Amino acid sequence: MKTQIHCLNNISPKGTALLGEGYELTDDIQEASGILVRSAAMHDMEFSENLLAIARAGAGVNNIPLDRAAEEGIVVFNTPGANANAVKELVIAALLMGSRDLVGGISWCRDNAEDENITKAAEKAKKAFAGREIQGKTLGVIGLGAIGALVSNAAISLGMQVIGYDPYMSVPAALRLDPQVQVANKVEDVYAAADYLTIHVPATDSTKGMINAEAIALMKDDAVFLNFSRDTLVNEADMAAALAEGKLGKYITDFATPGVMKMEKAIALPHLGASTDEAEENCAMMAVRQMRNFLENGNIVNSVNYPAIDAGVAAGPRVVILSEATDTLVADITAAFGAVAGIISKAKGNNAATIVDLAQEPSDDTLSAVADIDGVRLVRML
């Protein structure tokens, strides 16, 4: 029987084509071993006992109940970096909109479309839309992950100075960064130095509302702030006040909230960051590959609720165990099997994933004994 996969949203055919002959798409979500999703809300969904994995074709996972999925032994994947180039290109477009009044100029042309002398009138009107060049200006980048690094490098190529901040920057991320990018030790240094600022961090308890009156007070007068990450990172009341008072020059965001639409100096886009054919294809293909790797080999790559674990391709009997993380987990599992050819166990917070390779297939009684170990949520024989 083929493995059933359900798509909650329209998923690029380039992604679903990678499922292969052992899989088929199903309209019955209760039958599905895996769910592919983009933006559909899943918090009120009840998950079937058949469900093993949820793969989000994108980076944000606030539409998925991560803790509940973990407790039910369901691995949730996302696709960090798959849409990074699409977002980078839109941020660069926003950077140019923040320096040149392109929106105002376009609106003037549309408003005067019926004027037979529009060409001559434009020569007089254009001074109202004069701007400044970004070359030689300083861009502050808050968050130097996949998107932040691409934005930083592109800005360097455009002749800008770049100062960035990321307290969690990994070694691979640092290696991706252009050596001309100055990395600050404090985010306050970025606020103070930048003519333009862009933010690329996840929405967590520690980052929500971080762009507030206190942060804005440290920024240069007339600075332009770009938000193509999450709407909740910015305190809208404080941003509105800064724009009204002339403290900041513009706020350009990919999130058209009611509050933003009341700000006169704000430019809002309808969440276009990853809305390119290429980004949707990249995300879908990455999501499918990660889901297949887990379903076929038990390996976990880019999960947001379980640890990364990789035992390679399953060459013989293999058992995958999802559980709570305990000090005696490996010992308990090994004792239940009696003898193992290999075992790998990793933890992420309170959640653990264990892959056990065996010389021969275990009995049903052995698998039941493993399932009875305290904290075990799922035992799956590949």
Side-chain angles (χ1 to χ4, degrees), residues 269-292:
L269 301 175
H271 204 188
L272 299 179
S275 295
T276 66
D277 292 340
E278 295 87 350
E280 291 181 7
E281 291 168 0
N282 290 341
C283 288
M285 290 188 291
M286 188 172 177
V288 168
R289 289 190 180 108
Q290 291 172 172
M291 179 178 283
R292 282 194 59 176

Side-chain angles (χ1 to χ4, degrees), residues 19 68 259 265 272:
L19 285 170
R68 179 160 64 89
K265 294 181 181 179
L272 299 179

Side-chain angles (χ1 to χ4, degrees), residues 254-271:
D254 207 17
F255 307 99
T257 68
V260 168
M261 299 315 298
K262 295 175 183 176
M263 302 178 195
E264 288 188 10
K265 294 181 181 179
I267 298 173
L269 301 175
H271 204 188

Side-chain angles (χ1 to χ4, degrees), residues 329-350:
L329 179 64
V330 173
D332 292 341
I333 291 173
T334 303
F337 281 112
V340 300
I343 183 169
I344 301 175
S345 188
K346 302 287 185 180
K348 182 176 185 177
N350 191 45

Side-chain angles (χ1 to χ4, degrees), residues 295 316-320 337 358 360-362 367 379-382:
L295 295 177
R318 175 174 287 182
V319 179
V320 178
F337 281 112
L358 302 167
Q360 59 185 16
E361 289 198 13
L367 293 177
V379 178
R380 181 165 63 98
M381 181 74 203
L382 298 186

